[in-house]
């Protein structure tokens, strides 16, 4: 028995399945029961997918034909360093500040003082490409 509420279908467990003693059933009747259960599950799945399609949600986390990920497209990619410390340590500016930078800022230095000059790196790249 199906109960319709606001165009959604609810299957109460008491109404949807009768209590059956499986140990007294023959193999043929068990196979028939299995086929009926499979058919009922396929129908239920089709109904659920229709409801999800109406809500613009597709199983598997897809929306509008696109796969959504929980991570950024830039995650894991290497980027050039933006800051360089006196001993030569570098930091790209992502994530937590490194210890050497935190201690230097506590000593009174500014973050701008550790910026790497981009014009120098471009000159180095040009000289490397000529070799």
């Amino acid at each position: 028995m199906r109960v319709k509420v606001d165009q959604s279908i609810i299957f109460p467990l008491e109404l949807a399945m009768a209590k059956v003693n499986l140990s007294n059933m023959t193999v043929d009747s068990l196979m028939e029961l299995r086929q009926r259960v499979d058919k009922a599950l396929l129908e239920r799945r089709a109904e659920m997918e229709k409801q999800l399609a109406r809500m613009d949600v597709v199983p598997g986390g897809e929306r509008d034909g696109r796969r959504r990920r929980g991570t950024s497209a830039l995650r894991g990619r290497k980027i050039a360093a933006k800051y360089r410390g006196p001993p030569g340590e570098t930091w790209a500016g992502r994530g937590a500040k490194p210890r050497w930078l935190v201690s230097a800022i506590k000593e009174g230095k500014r973050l701008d003082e550790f910026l790497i000059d981009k014009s120098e790196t471009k000159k180095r790249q040009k000289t490397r490409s000529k070799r």
Side-chain angles (χ1 to χ4, degrees):
M1 176 177 199
R2 296 179 187 175
V3 180
K4 285 197 172 197
V5 179
D6 296 331
Q7 297 197 3
S8 62
I9 299 172
I10 302 172
F11 291 93
L13 291 177
E14 297 84 23
L15 300 175
M17 182 160 175
K19 294 188 179 190
V20 179
N21 188 357
L22 299 177
S23 60
N24 293 338
M25 295 178 74
T26 64
V27 174
D28 291 334
S29 59
L30 286 172
M31 294 299 287
E32 180 187 343
L33 177 64
R34 181 179 179 183
Q35 289 174 352
R36 289 192 337 218
V37 168
D38 287 342
K39 182 180 175 185
L41 287 174
L42 286 174
E43 290 173 0
R44 177 75 173 134
R45 179 181 178 172
E47 291 172 4
M48 296 282 293
E49 286 177 352
K50 286 179 187 176
Q51 289 178 3
L52 291 173
R54 275 188 259 138
M55 293 186 294
D56 193 31
V57 178
V58 179
E62 294 181 15
R63 277 184 173 225
D64 298 327
R66 292 177 293 180
R67 186 114 176 120
R68 292 191 59 171
R69 291 183 171 181
T71 60
S72 169
L74 298 177
R75 184 172 185 203
R77 292 196 179 182
K78 299 284 183 182
I79 62 168
K82 295 181 183 178
Y83 303 95
R84 185 181 314 277
E89 299 106 340
T90 58
W91 180 50
R94 290 183 174 179
K97 292 179 183 169
R99 292 179 187 158
W100 61 266
L101 186 59
V102 172
S103 63
I105 290 173
K106 282 183 181 179
E107 292 173 3
K109 295 188 178 184
R110 295 182 323 196
L111 187 62
D112 298 343
E113 295 176 23
F114 297 102
L115 274 172
I116 297 174
D117 187 16
K118 297 294 180 182
S119 60
E120 289 181 16
T121 57
K122 288 181 181 178
K123 288 178 185 176
R124 288 183 199 159
Q125 289 174 353
K126 286 181 182 176
T127 57
R128 288 181 186 165
S129 62
K130 289 181 182 177
R131 290 183 188 170

